[in-house]
Amino acid sequence: MTTQRKAAIHSLLKGIETGDQQSVAVVDPDKYIQHNPQTHEGREGLASLFKRLAQTSPRVKIVRLFSDGDFVFGHTEYDFNTLRVGFEVFRFEGDLTVEHWDNIQPSRGPNASGRSMVDGTVEVSDWVSTETNRRLIIEFIDSALIARQYQQLPRFISPSYIEHNPRLTDGLEALTHALQALDENGDLSICYETRHRVLAEGNFVLSVCEGYLGGAHTSFYDLFRISGGIIVEHWDTTETVPPLSQWHNDNGKF
């Protein structure tokens, strides 16, 4: 079933290129819950979105695709006249997806270490360590990011840490500096407040968190690659949560 679900989501996302309304057949129209605040509910909302996007001759590259229980989650690159990078999360019941979350931002980079937002390792391995790796990321988020115990960072981050965030560079020192940096008001520029979800397959773990970036209410999606019990590579997207007046559904971003 895992392979079938991944294939269905692959087809769904590639359907953005053509506007093919058949690609949304994997969506359960009676149960589907849409968490993108700017997309209407249900299968018709997706079909309308795909039809509109198809007019821009979009291109969709699915860089990484993972599965965790009833969830399929992907790391994607979009060309909608401008390049964007995103994470897509779908929850399944049986053969159909019934819930969707995403986090998409303009593509930036390469960063000062020469990394793009999507390049790097794609192979999933070490499935036996999935739950151990999930627990590692939960502890990392709760202690180092939310509780801001920055002295704990060396416990979690490899000295040869690879960074794909377009604003940062490789290495523990650069990450530590970024997490401690203050904005013009004297507040933390990067501020994680709530952990919502942690999904994992083998050596890859995706976390979904809420907080503030530069003072703006923000959704943080972070993808980590783990090797030998430590974080060795990181990709992310950040997206400002729009005000309620701009929402097209009432389900919330998270």
Side-chain angles (χ1 to χ4, degrees), residues 35-238:
H35 291 276
N36 182 321
Q38 297 175 322
T39 301
H40 292 284
E41 287 275 37
R43 183 185 291 173
E44 288 188 9
L46 277 181
S48 175
L49 173 65
F50 286 12
K51 184 177 181 180
R52 175 169 55 84
L53 291 175
Q55 297 173 1
T56 69
S57 300
R59 291 293 178 266
V60 178
K61 180 181 180 181
I62 302 165
V63 184
R64 298 170 180 86
L65 196 61
F66 308 99
S67 179
D68 179 5
D70 286 330
F71 292 88
V72 172
F73 54 107
H75 191 193
T76 53
E77 187 173 43
Y78 301 111
D79 187 349
F80 303 147
N81 290 328
T82 60
L83 287 176
R84 297 173 183 268
V85 175
F87 289 99
E88 307 280 350
V89 177
F90 297 88
R91 183 174 66 85
F92 276 78
E93 290 182 2
D95 294 333
L96 300 180
T97 182
V98 296
E99 198 163 8
H100 169 253
W101 302 258
D102 65 5
N103 214 56
I104 300 172
Q105 73 161 80
S107 180
R108 298 285 184 262
N111 64 21
S113 295
R115 318 280 185 192
S116 83
M117 292 184 67
V118 297
D119 66 356
T121 304
V122 298
E123 295 83 8
V124 180
S125 63
D126 195 22
W127 283 272
V128 70
S129 297
T130 295
E131 293 307 319
T132 300
N133 291 338
R134 189 199 311 273
R135 289 193 296 271
L136 176 75
I137 295 305
I138 289 173
E139 186 179 358
F140 167 68
I141 291 168
D142 290 354
S143 63
L145 299 184
I146 295 177
R148 304 179 182 93
Q149 298 172 4
Y150 302 125
Q151 74 278 9
Q152 300 283 346
L153 285 171
R155 288 183 50 214
F156 301 101
I157 305 296
S158 168
S160 56
Y161 171 78
I162 299 169
E163 177 61 76
H164 294 271
N165 183 302
R167 302 183 304 274
L168 305 181
T169 59
D170 291 352
L172 173 60
E173 182 178 354
L175 177 62
T176 303
H177 182 269
L179 291 174
Q180 294 178 315
L182 303 180
D183 63 20
E184 59 186 15
N185 297 317
D187 299 319
L188 284 171
S189 181
I190 302 173
C191 183
Y192 283 67
E193 291 194 342
T194 306
R195 168 174 53 83
H196 288 280
R197 178 170 286 107
V198 178
L199 301 172
E201 184 180 13
N203 55 331
F204 285 91
V205 181
L206 176 71
S207 66
V208 177
C209 296
E210 181 178 4
Y212 291 85
L213 180 63
H217 186 197
T218 296
S219 175
F220 297 97
Y221 277 50
D222 293 278
L223 180 67
F224 304 93
R225 181 171 66 88
I226 298 166
S227 179
I230 198 165
I231 298 167
V232 296
E233 195 165 8
H234 169 255
W235 302 259
D236 70 339
T237 62
T238 57

